[in-house]
Amino acid sequence: MTMGGNAAQDARIGRPRREDISLQDWCSLFLNRCGLTFRNAQVPALMQLIDQHMRARGLADAAAYYALLCDERDSGVEWSELLEGVLNHETSFFRHQASFDVLKNIVLPDLLAERAKGAFLSLWSAGCSTGQEAYSLAMIAMAHEELGGRFTVWGSDVSRRVIETARRGCYGPRALTGLAAAYRNRFLHEKRTETGVEYEVVPELRERVRFMSINLLSAADFSPRHDVIFCHNVLIYFAPEAVTRLLNALATRLRPGGYLLLGPGEGPGDHPKGLEPIHVSGVRGFRRTLQTAREPRP
Amino acid sequence: MRSTLRIKTRLGLTAGIVACLLALMASVALWSVREVQHQLEAGLRSAARTAASAAQFGRRAADLGRQGQVTLEAARVTGVEKELERWNAAYAAAGQELAELEATPAGAAIAPPLRASLTDYEKQFGTLLTQTASGNAVSPVVQSSASEAFTRLDRQSAEAAAKAVDQANQATMELDVLLGRSMLAVTLAVAIGFVVLAGLVVFFVHRPIAAEAGVLMGVCHALERGDLSSRVPNPADTELGAIGRSLNAMLDNTMSLVQSRAERDQMQASIMKLLEEISGVAEGDLTVQAEVTTDVTGAVADSFNFMIAELRRVIGEVQNASLQVSNSLGDLRSITVELASGSEEQAAQAVDASVAIEEMAASIHYVSENASVSASVAEEARTNAEHGARAVTRTIDGMKAVRDQVQETAKRIKRLGESSQEIAEIVELIGDIADRTSILALNASIQAAMAGEAGRGFAVVADEVERLAERATEATKRAGTLVKTTQTETAEVMAAMEDTTREVINRSNIANEAGVALTQIQGVSNRLAELIQAISDAAQQQARGSEQVAKSMNEMSSVTRNTAANTKQTAASIGSLGLLADKLNASVARFKLPNETASQVSPNTPRLVASR
């Protein structure tokens, strides 16, 4: 059972009475289900959004809408719809270049030295939004000659909508900002449409990237283990306690010696269990200790 | 007869009168029939009553006769009183019945002979009864005259009954005849009433209307013949009169329109000419000019020329204006379309920017939160350093105390060493004393031996003293050794104490250095805490700023979206305006103008259709 699921059940049991659904209750709902927290400045927009969805559902009072959401599973239609409204899908190719440089120059060579020859690497872009980050990882892995294409990139996001976009792999000209010409020429295909120009990820790259819609808090249920987890600009939306929960969950998804790369300034003050920080300027990263690896598996 | 009554009124009145008359006739007929019926019924009832009374009297007379026989028989055999009483009753009944018969109108005629016969019979019967009761032989004369009287009564009553029935039958027949006559009279009266009514209707309704219609038809026939001078004379104030008046007015108007033939022909010719001249206008040719003649069409031609000149000017202006509108709209449209796409692009960019700034705000907020945590950690470090410094100070104090204590102890030990020396001297003195004692004891034992037996006891004492002296010497030696050992150890302790004191002093110096280092750390921590606080403050300020920017961006993007939508709307409006201008152009393009007035508008003027 995921933490999110448990929390959601708790929320169902301790559901407030109809009359008094406060901001606190809404925040708890988001916190328990997704770990999301809101800044004070976002509160009016949040309440407006809730109001909009409530009306669209044809409900007159917030309590009824709240009850409806509580009755739904985490993947329920109404909940997903509401969630779409609070998520920020900002992303771009090779956003925070330093992290990608570390991947290319340190992480991949290190993993290749550590792993058995011919090992297959698994990279995960956790919170991939419209997929540019996952494709960026794939571009680097693809261009890495020593790796020889033995890798899979996974991209996940809680929003189903952006996952659809990511799977399509078609981007407008503005999304290409920050993408080196070499990568663009090799991995993107220019396509003319009725409305203008679009750039489509070439099938060769697209088939190496798998996308799925999952809640990161339930990442511990997500069976594969990865050599690299890329989680950028995600934790900034999470409440401190949720950050700790999430990082512990992500740590269990790393193979021994695997790397967790966070966005600049992200992450907790003390590093998660079983992870040791890597010291590269401008990059926030952890490596799963190898000692753990040498312990016999249960 | 002339009447001013309207047809409607007339018909209404007639209908009213007819209804009244019919009601009157019906009531008269009903009354007469009912009267006849009453009479009939009364006659029949009277005749029937007479007949019934006559018959009843007959029966009563028969009863009287039978009772007379019984009474006579009784008079002969037994007593007469009882039967005579019955006879009297029967006689009274017959008398009463006869009185009733007399009361009926028809009975009065037949009753008197019956009354006479009844009286006669009563007389005869009284005589006969008297004779019979006397027990004498009844004279046959009396008997026969009594019998005769009864027979006469009986016969007369039968006749009277038959006569009454005959009378009743006769009355019925008479009344039947009377009834038939009355019905005939009523029927006749009704028929006459209808005839009178028809006459009234004809007189009051048909005749005046027919007269007026006849006049109108006369006038119409005259018009058919072409006589336009015919008029309806003195039209009355009725509906047909109104038609007549209208007809008269119409005829008057028509008369006033009719011109003489020559005049008409001339006018027609000049009108035809004028029409021919201006017919081009119908096809849109505004170059035509009508000839201004002296006749009546001249003025028309003049006005026409003026009108065409005005029309030329107006159409020329319209053509110019619509051409200009078309051209301006073309420019405007391209500008607006560009503007719309620009606005859309801008809106999209604004949305992108606002999303990015939103994320930046989240990031800065996150950093600010973290900085706050760091500030508290730094604060904690500073507190810890402070604690450390205090601990070091306490350590140094403790060390100082130790050093003092050590020095004090050293002093005491030194004094102890000096005391040992004194003890050693005392021990030596005791040793000397013991030695001397031993020599004295030896001398004493020698003296005792010299004294012989007398000195034997003294010799024992001297030996004991010697042994004591030896033991004292021995003890003194041990004490001396001990004192020497003590002195050595004290010297060693002294040396150790001196070493310790030096060590303590060294440690104190190190602790002092640690204290200084900790104080420095404290300073650095303070500085760090301040710096982190500054970062935190700055981050918070940035967070607020970025919130503001995000908000502004959101507002801007919504404004831009609106603008884009409005611009699109404007483009669409311009498109439809262009269509209107084209339509206007097309509608005035078919007018032909003299060359100098306006350039012909090309039929291929580009159409303005908003692409979006």
Side-chain angles (χ1 to χ4, degrees):
Chain A
M1 192 67 208
T2 68
M3 296 166 109
N6 276 331
Q9 267 184 350
D10 291 346
R12 273 195 280 278
I13 293 160
R15 185 188 302 166
R17 291 182 310 131
R18 289 177 64 85
E19 300 80 39
D20 38 36
I21 306 296
S22 63
L23 174 64
Q24 185 65 45
D25 295 320
W26 286 113
C27 288
S28 302
L29 189 64
F30 278 101
L31 178 65
N32 291 330
R33 286 208 167 175
C34 310
L36 291 178
T37 183
F38 299 99
R39 289 169 281 131
N40 288 338
Q42 290 176 293
V43 168
L46 174 68
M47 294 321 280
Q48 197 185 348
L49 179 79
I50 288 168
D51 205 51
Q52 259 173 22
H53 280 264
M54 184 184 86
R55 279 169 207 286
R57 189 69 176 72
L59 293 171
D61 62 323
Y65 184 53
Y66 186 87
L68 178 80
L69 292 179
C70 286
D71 287 338
E72 275 192 348
R73 301 291 309 160
D74 286 3
S75 56
V77 178
E78 283 299 322
W79 173 250
S80 303
E81 276 298 307
L82 181 63
L83 190 60
E84 292 288 351
V86 302
L87 297 174
N88 188 325
H89 301 310
E90 171 71 9
T91 187
S92 61
F93 284 106
F94 292 95
R95 194 174 179 196
H96 195 58
Q97 183 68 46
S99 295
F100 289 94
D101 290 344
V102 163
L103 175 72
K104 184 175 162 190
N105 301 326
I106 298 173
V107 173
L108 287 183
D110 185 58
L111 285 172
L112 286 170
E114 182 70 34
R115 302 278 186 255
K117 196 163 173 65
F120 210 85
L121 295 189
S122 173
L123 297 86
W124 179 19
S125 163
C128 67
S129 185
T130 43
Q132 285 98 318
E133 187 178 273
Y135 286 123
S136 301
L137 293 177
M139 285 177 191
I140 285 186
M142 205 72 170
H144 205 278
E145 284 181 9
E146 209 184 325
L147 184 58
R150 288 184 298 278
F151 72 94
T152 301
V153 173
W154 298 85
S156 81
D157 201 284
V158 71
S159 161
R160 284 185 212 145
R161 209 171 286 166
V162 290
I163 286 300
E164 289 303 313
T165 310
R167 283 189 182 134
R168 218 166 36 247
C170 284
Y171 301 100
R174 272 206 305 280
L176 264 55
T177 322
L179 183 61
Y183 283 129
R184 190 177 64 202
N185 295 338
R186 181 170 167 189
F187 296 115
L188 293 181
H189 165 68
E190 189 175 318
K191 206 171 72 170
R192 297 223 162 257
T193 65
E194 290 167 7
T195 50
V197 185
E198 265 193 351
Y199 294 88
E200 190 176 26
V201 175
V202 294
E204 180 201 4
L205 189 72
R206 202 165 54 196
E207 66 198 15
R208 311 308 298 271
V209 186
R210 301 264 176 279
F211 288 102
M212 62 207 153
S213 171
I214 56 160
N215 184 347
L216 277 186
L217 284 183
S218 54
D221 284 352
F222 173 51
S223 54
R225 290 184 171 226
H226 305 277
D227 297 289
V228 177
I229 299 177
F230 221 79
C231 185
H232 276 45
N233 296 81
V234 173
L235 302 183
I236 54 173
Y237 295 106
F238 277 56
E241 62 268 30
V243 167
T244 311
R245 256 156 67 190
L246 174 58
L247 288 178
N248 286 329
L250 290 183
T252 65
R253 294 298 97 203
L254 272 182
R255 287 180 184 150
Y259 285 86
L260 169 64
L261 294 175
L262 301 177
E266 283 188 309
D270 45 351
H271 44 82
K273 277 178 286 180
L275 297 184
E276 56 191 20
I278 57 171
H279 300 286
V280 178
S281 174
V283 174
R284 181 100 166 127
F286 298 94
R287 186 175 190 224
R288 179 144 185 205
T289 44
L290 283 167
Q291 280 84 348
T292 327
R294 289 181 192 124
E295 286 170 6
R297 283 203 171 180
Chain B
M1 172 186 154
R2 278 190 53 81
S3 167
T4 56
L5 283 177
R6 289 171 173 245
I7 294 170
K8 202 166 77 180
T9 325
R10 209 181 285 259
L11 285 173
L13 276 173
T14 311
I17 292 166
V18 166
C20 291
L21 279 173
L22 280 177
L24 192 66
M25 274 160 56
S27 44
V28 166
L30 201 64
W31 178 79
S32 358
V33 168
R34 284 189 66 156
E35 196 59 27
V36 167
Q37 199 179 5
H38 282 154
Q39 279 183 10
L40 201 62
E41 276 175 7
L44 277 174
R45 214 177 288 131
S46 158
R49 209 167 67 212
T50 308
S53 282
Q56 190 68 14
F57 178 75
R59 278 191 293 276
R60 294 275 181 260
D63 287 348
L64 186 66
R66 267 193 307 277
Q67 189 61 38
Q69 288 294 325
V70 173
T71 308
L72 286 179
E73 203 65 31
R76 264 194 301 271
V77 182
T78 56
V80 77
E81 286 82 15
K82 201 173 170 186
E83 292 304 323
L84 184 61
E85 208 172 298
R86 285 190 187 157
W87 187 89
N88 279 334
Y91 178 77
Q96 197 180 347
E97 199 62 45
L98 188 60
E100 274 183 26
L101 183 63
E102 280 168 345
T104 62
I110 55 173
L114 288 176
R115 171 69 68 184
S117 296
L118 186 64
T119 314
D120 183 37
Y121 170 69
E122 190 257 331
K123 219 177 278 167
Q124 296 295 337
F125 180 74
T127 313
L128 182 61
L129 186 62
T130 313
Q131 282 185 6
T132 308
S134 65
N136 299 331
V138 179
S139 84
V141 178
V142 172
Q143 190 152 11
S144 79
S145 88
S147 170
E148 205 172 310
F150 178 72
T151 310
R152 197 162 54 238
L153 176 65
D154 196 29
R155 198 189 64 233
Q156 276 180 345
S157 70
E159 279 171 3
K163 199 171 173 187
V165 169
D166 280 353
Q167 275 180 349
N169 282 342
Q170 195 175 350
T172 309
M173 277 168 63
E174 278 171 5
L175 285 169
D176 265 355
V177 170
L178 184 63
L179 186 63
R181 280 185 190 151
S182 327
M183 292 304 284
L184 187 63
V186 168
T187 311
L188 271 175
V190 169
I192 288 163
F194 275 114
V195 170
V196 170
L197 272 179
L200 277 174
V201 168
V202 167
F203 186 76
F204 280 109
V205 180
H206 176 255
R207 221 180 54 143
I209 296 173
E212 278 187 283
V215 171
L216 281 177
M217 278 179 68
V219 173
C220 287
H221 284 311
L223 287 176
E224 260 177 53
R225 285 194 306 273
D227 176 11
L228 295 181
S229 65
S230 170
R231 293 287 183 278
V232 180
N234 301 329
D237 189 18
T238 63
E239 287 90 337
L240 289 175
I243 293 174
R245 272 197 299 281
S246 301
L247 188 61
N248 285 351
M250 192 187 81
L251 285 173
D252 289 345
N253 288 341
T254 312
M255 280 305 283
S256 71
L257 288 174
V258 173
Q259 300 287 329
S260 76
R261 192 167 204 85
E263 220 176 340
R264 205 170 65 212
D265 287 353
Q266 191 190 348
M267 187 173 275
Q268 196 173 2
S270 63
I271 288 173
M272 287 306 286
K273 183 167 158 281
L274 183 62
L275 282 178
E276 206 166 316
E277 281 172 347
I278 65 175
S279 62
V281 176
E283 278 94 52
D285 182 6
L286 298 183
T287 58
V288 297
Q289 193 81 13
E291 188 192 347
V292 182
T293 53
T294 51
D295 60 11
V296 70
T297 58
V300 177
D302 197 24
S303 305
F304 174 79
N305 285 344
F306 179 69
M307 184 191 81
I308 289 298
E310 282 298 301
L311 196 56
R312 262 201 298 268
R313 194 173 60 76
V314 170
I315 295 292
E317 279 173 11
V318 168
Q319 283 183 350
N320 276 334
S322 60
L323 192 65
Q324 276 172 12
V325 167
S326 283
N327 290 341
S328 310
L329 283 178
D331 295 347
L332 194 55
R333 175 191 166 262
S334 57
I335 289 167
T336 317
V337 166
E338 207 173 307
L339 192 60
S341 70
S343 298
E344 271 176 6
E345 178 75 11
Q346 200 183 353
Q349 281 177 0
V351 169
D352 283 0
S354 72
V355 171
I357 287 170
E358 181 68 30
E359 181 137 319
M360 194 174 89
S363 178
I364 292 172
H365 180 78
Y366 188 86
V367 168
S368 136
E369 298 274 295
N370 272 358
S372 296
V373 174
S374 304
S376 68
V377 169
E379 175 63 26
E380 205 178 323
R382 193 185 62 80
T383 317
N384 285 348
E386 228 170 58
H387 287 161
R390 271 204 296 280
V392 165
T393 312
R394 276 202 302 278
T395 308
I396 290 167
D397 291 349
M399 293 226 173
K400 269 183 190 153
V402 168
R403 193 173 59 187
D404 294 349
Q405 197 69 40
V406 166
Q407 279 170 352
E408 182 66 21
T409 309
K411 265 185 218 155
R412 290 199 181 163
I413 289 172
K414 209 174 174 186
R415 268 211 306 282
L416 192 64
E418 286 161 6
S419 303
S420 323
Q421 191 58 44
E422 283 170 25
I423 292 168
E425 284 166 12
I426 292 166
V427 167
E428 209 168 323
L429 183 64
I430 293 170
D432 283 351
I433 293 168
D435 283 351
R436 280 168 193 243
T437 307
S438 178
I439 291 163
L440 284 175
L442 188 60
N443 289 342
S445 71
I446 292 167
Q447 292 293 330
M450 282 186 307
E453 209 48 40
R456 189 168 290 256
F458 188 73
V460 174
V461 172
D463 283 350
E464 277 300 309
V465 169
E466 195 187 351
R467 261 203 306 276
L468 281 174
E470 273 173 15
R471 281 175 63 192
T473 307
E474 194 136 335
T476 313
K477 274 178 188 162
R478 269 166 56 196
T481 313
L482 275 176
V483 166
K484 275 213 178 91
T485 310
T486 304
Q487 280 177 336
T488 317
E489 280 177 359
T490 306
E492 279 172 6
V493 167
M494 284 292 289
M497 289 297 280
E498 271 164 23
D499 282 354
T500 303
T501 309
R502 269 200 303 281
E503 187 67 17
V504 165
I505 288 166
N506 275 346
R507 290 274 167 86
S508 304
N509 290 339
I510 290 169
N512 261 332
E513 278 169 21
V516 171
L518 277 172
T519 315
Q520 280 170 350
I521 287 173
Q522 198 183 331
V524 170
S525 292
N526 272 335
R527 181 93 185 105
L528 194 59
E530 281 165 20
L531 285 175
I532 290 173
Q533 189 58 52
I535 291 171
S536 170
D537 292 349
Q540 264 164 24
Q541 200 174 335
Q542 272 183 347
R544 278 195 295 275
S546 60
E547 301 284 9
Q548 200 56 46
V549 173
K551 203 175 148 210
S552 306
M553 285 305 290
N554 273 332
E555 279 166 10
M556 195 183 91
S557 73
S558 83
V559 166
T560 320
R561 265 198 297 275
N562 278 347
T563 312
N566 288 343
T567 318
K568 258 189 197 173
Q569 185 67 40
T570 311
S573 305
I574 290 172
S576 52
L577 192 57
L579 283 179
L580 284 178
D582 282 1
K583 268 187 193 164
L584 182 61
N585 246 344
S587 65
V588 296
R590 64 194 191 84
F591 288 109
K592 189 179 160 201
L593 296 178
N595 284 337
E596 72 275 12
T597 314
S599 57
Q600 194 74 9
V601 176
S602 157
N604 294 331
T605 305
R607 297 233 153 186
L608 300 175
V609 182
S611 65
R612 289 193 269 178

